[in-house]
Amino acid sequence: MSTTPPALLIRPLGEAALCCAVDGAIALEHQQRIWQMGAGLAQTQGVLGLIPGMNNLTLTFDPLVTDSAALADAARELWAQPLRRQQAGRLVEIPVRYDGPDLVDVAAHCGLSVDEVVQRHTAADYIVYFIGFQPGFAYMGGLDPTLHTPRRSEPRTAVPAGSVGIGGAQTGIYPLVTPGGWQLIGRTALPLFDPKAEPPTLLAPGDRVRFVAEASS
């Protein structure tokens, strides 16, 4: 692991929030540093909420208890600390039927057969970087570079819940019916979001995900 973290950029979001971000490529080490910084800030007086994103962390605070300058100093101090060994997250296996409407197009773009796309997509272990876009939608790192595929030029107005897609250098699962532009390669029946459950999302930052191919109906 690197001993020198990249520069942390901090900017205000109104009078009661800060966004702490790092420029550069998406990398697991950057995300792990964000998780570590967030864990430290969670113990800081006046901090109300923490929202991790890709290469960034947004925090909200009570301006009657603390101020943005003090929190920015605390964030920089935490960011500069050595990266501790991260505890491995849960391993979650996601059963997938690889019969998505864009599977053939993805294979053609990548110069692979459909079977090769499925084999490479199921061969990797993915890491959940953060949850965003909609409840339970996990942004994951670890997609085989040979499967990187641009988003659709025309997004769909309604992507079915459970759809497994590829968008650029990432793969993910749509928990709910929503518009979306990722290339759909399969679907899972596993619920990703249940507002009555505790926790309501199946996946959490740091979890490892493995896709398991099911026979298509």
Side-chain angles (χ1 to χ4, degrees), residues 78-102:
L78 289 164
W79 183 255
Q81 292 180 1
L83 180 60
R84 299 185 296 273
R85 182 177 296 276
Q86 300 285 321
Q87 183 175 356
R90 300 174 305 139
L91 174 61
V92 181
E93 293 191 343
I94 307 289
V96 178
R97 292 196 173 192
Y98 286 92
D99 56 1
D102 302 319

Side-chain angles (χ1 to χ4, degrees), residues 13-201:
L13 298 176
E15 298 181 350
L18 292 175
C19 180
C20 308
V22 56
D23 284 337
I26 296 170
L28 178 58
E29 181 183 329
H30 296 170
Q31 208 65 20
Q32 289 173 329
R33 287 188 177 277
I34 286 169
W35 299 336
Q36 179 174 291
M37 178 176 63
L41 288 171
Q43 309 303 315
T44 303
Q45 187 175 20
V47 173
L48 300 177
L50 297 163
I51 308 168
M54 190 70 77
N55 277 1
N56 65 75
L57 176 75
T58 296
L59 63 93
T60 59
F61 61 92
D62 185 346
L64 299 179
V65 176
T66 187
D67 60 69
S68 59
L71 288 176
D73 288 343
R76 292 190 183 95
E77 182 178 347
L78 289 164
W79 183 255
Q81 292 180 1
L83 180 60
R84 299 185 296 273
R85 182 177 296 276
Q86 300 285 321
Q87 183 175 356
R90 300 174 305 139
L91 174 61
V92 181
E93 293 191 343
I94 307 289
V96 178
R97 292 196 173 192
Y98 286 92
D99 56 1
D102 302 319
L103 180 57
V104 172
D105 290 341
V106 169
H109 172 82
C110 299
L112 302 169
S113 69
V114 165
D115 287 344
E116 287 173 324
V117 170
V118 174
Q119 189 279 325
R120 297 185 189 202
H121 193 257
T122 56
D125 279 350
Y126 302 89
I127 302 291
V128 177
Y129 281 9
F130 74 103
I131 304 295
F133 171 55
Q134 59 174 273
F137 190 101
Y139 286 82
M140 294 178 266
L143 181 66
D144 188 322
T146 63
L147 297 181
H148 292 185
T149 307
R151 291 166 172 78
R152 289 170 54 86
S153 58
E154 294 186 10
R156 292 180 170 90
T157 57
V159 174
S163 294
V164 177
I166 290 175
Q170 292 186 295
T171 190
I173 311 164
Y174 288 83
L176 307 170
V177 177
T178 182
W182 287 28
Q183 307 282 353
L184 305 183
I185 61 172
R187 55 195 169 96
T188 181
L190 199 63
L192 276 294
F193 175 69
D194 180 356
K196 298 179 181 178
E198 183 56 45
T201 60

